[in-house]
Amino acid sequence: MIGKVLFVDDEQNVLSAIRRMFFDEELELYFASSGPEAIELLSEESVHVIVSDMRMPVMNGVEFLKKSIDLCPDAVRLVLSGQADIADIMDSINEGGIWRYISKPWNDNDMKLTIRNAVDLFNKNDERKQLLVALSEKNELLNSLNEQLEQKVKQRTRMIQSQNALLNMLVESCEMPEFIVAACDIISEVVNSKCVYIQTSFADNKTYSLSQTGDRRGVAEFLKKASASNSPLTVGIYKSFPLIKSEVRLGTVVFSVDFDKDEDLVTSVGDSIVPVLSLALSQFKMVLDAPNLLDDISNILDNI
């Protein structure tokens, strides 16, 4: 970074000498002959180093450097003065945030080295500041990722618990209406939905629901559309999944959901609960088909 240095002095011969001294330096130099002029310049241009004379008319060095903090808070500040007034120097250090004091007349090499060191100090401070900002951003990102991971773990745990609850009911050989109502309750709790429908494609296409929505007509239209599709559908606030096992369409599940908040949960329902529902309906259908299957076998045996 090329250093931007502002020199403020009411003596034009001092500013001219400084301009000649830094002619071959890789610095971007700015000059002002008074405190107010320097304040106006700083309101339009940010600099890295500010070098100010101590005794100036209208606004002295302490007053100017103090005001410059609001405009360039990160700039490195130096005092350039021929006055050996310790009190003024102490005021400039305490109130103006002064890094160093350069006396008049100065040694050119010492002056150049001091300005280079001031620019280096600004660059190091700026680099440290940027690193702190980057570190803060990474910490915020890490915290956010940890929160997301924790949320996903909770969601995954809820899904596993839901799967286990449904599988336990299936193992206990509960009746199909009891099982489907329980499935409606679980989906409602998982996605925080007040509208859950499960429709079977067998046993007279019966529909089971847990619904507190007033838009029954909209739900009915969507359910009709979803029942004719072998792919998940989304219309407005409604989501549907086909219940399919071994390429046999067994039913449809429909529920309302806030996609902005619960999109991941919707995906989890499709990945975790829908397969269990499909398996369960397949088992219930097989049981319902069993009497007909036994009659068919009996008729075949009678005809042999």
Side-chain angles (χ1 to χ4, degrees):
M1 183 185 296
I2 296 178
K4 296 181 178 182
V5 185
L6 168 63
F7 291 93
V8 185
D9 199 300
D10 61 318
E11 298 181 41
Q12 288 297 326
N13 61 326
V14 171
L15 297 180
S16 298
I18 292 173
R19 183 181 282 108
R20 289 193 299 271
M21 180 174 53
F22 287 99
F23 176 76
D24 59 348
E25 295 287 327
E26 292 186 355
L27 296 172
E28 194 171 330
L29 303 180
Y30 300 85
F31 300 93
S33 58
S34 68
E37 181 183 346
I39 292 296
E40 183 178 355
L41 188 152
L42 290 178
S43 66
E44 299 177 357
E45 186 69 44
S46 179
V47 300
H48 306 150
V49 178
I50 300 174
V51 184
S52 175
D53 186 22
M54 180 62 71
R55 296 188 178 275
M56 296 183 293
V58 183
M59 182 185 295
N60 64 36
V62 175
E63 294 172 332
F64 159 66
L65 290 169
K66 188 175 179 180
K67 289 180 179 295
S68 73
I69 294 175
D70 294 332
L71 297 171
C72 289
D74 297 328
V76 179
R77 293 167 179 79
L78 298 89
V79 166
L80 177 63
S81 178
Q83 303 295 328
D85 190 333
I86 299 300
D88 287 345
I89 295 174
M90 292 303 297
D91 287 342
S92 65
I93 292 174
N94 294 332
E95 298 181 31
I98 304 307
W99 175 60
R100 283 191 184 176
Y101 171 81
I102 303 174
S103 62
K104 293 180 181 179
W106 62 80
N107 177 280
D108 286 359
N109 290 330
D110 290 344
M111 169 77 91
K112 288 181 178 181
L113 180 61
T114 300
I115 298 302
R116 290 193 199 107
N117 288 339
V119 172
D120 288 342
L121 177 61
F122 174 88
N123 289 337
K124 289 177 180 178
N125 289 339
D126 185 65
E127 182 180 1
R128 182 169 65 251
K129 185 177 180 180
Q130 292 183 33
L131 288 173
L132 288 174
V133 171
L135 180 61
S136 176
E137 291 175 350
K138 289 185 182 297
N139 283 336
E140 289 181 4
L141 177 59
L142 181 60
N143 289 334
S144 176
L145 291 174
N146 284 336
E147 289 177 1
Q148 292 177 26
L149 179 59
E150 184 177 353
Q151 186 65 26
K152 287 184 180 297
V153 170
K154 289 181 180 178
Q155 290 177 5
R156 182 58 179 163
T157 301
R158 288 174 66 186
M159 289 300 168
I160 292 174
Q161 291 172 343
S162 300
Q163 282 181 316
N164 289 340
L166 292 175
L167 288 171
N168 286 336
M169 291 184 68
L170 194 59
V171 170
E172 293 170 0
S173 302
C174 67
E175 297 295 325
M176 185 169 71
E178 180 185 358
F179 179 88
I180 295 181
V181 169
C184 287
D185 287 336
I186 287 174
I187 293 174
S188 173
E189 182 181 352
V190 167
V191 297
N192 192 28
S193 175
K194 295 182 178 180
C195 171
V196 182
Y197 286 82
I198 297 177
Q199 183 182 66
T200 62
S201 299
F202 57 97
D204 299 326
N205 292 330
K206 190 170 182 179
T207 301
Y208 301 83
S209 70
L210 182 152
S211 177
Q212 300 175 25
T213 179
D215 186 22
R216 295 185 180 277
R217 182 176 178 180
V219 174
E221 291 177 355
F222 179 66
L223 186 57
K224 182 178 179 181
K225 186 175 183 180
S227 298
S229 173
N230 285 335
S231 300
L233 294 179
T234 303
V235 175
I237 63 170
Y238 298 110
K239 179 72 178 184
S240 74
F241 288 99
L243 302 175
I244 300 173
K245 181 66 175 176
S246 301
E247 299 183 358
V248 176
R249 178 65 179 265
L250 300 163
T252 306
V253 58
V254 170
F255 53 88
S256 62
V257 66
D258 185 344
F259 287 100
D260 292 335
K261 296 181 180 178
D262 302 319
E263 187 172 355
D264 289 342
L265 288 175
V266 173
T267 302
S268 297
V269 168
D271 293 340
S272 302
I273 297 180
V274 167
V276 176
L277 272 173
S278 300
L279 172 64
L281 292 185
S282 175
Q283 297 298 312
F284 289 128
K285 184 177 185 302
M286 184 172 63
V287 171
L288 290 173
D289 290 344
N292 294 331
L293 179 60
L294 292 175
D295 289 342
D296 291 340
I297 294 174
S298 178
N299 289 333
I300 293 173
L301 293 175
D302 290 341
N303 293 324
I304 290 178

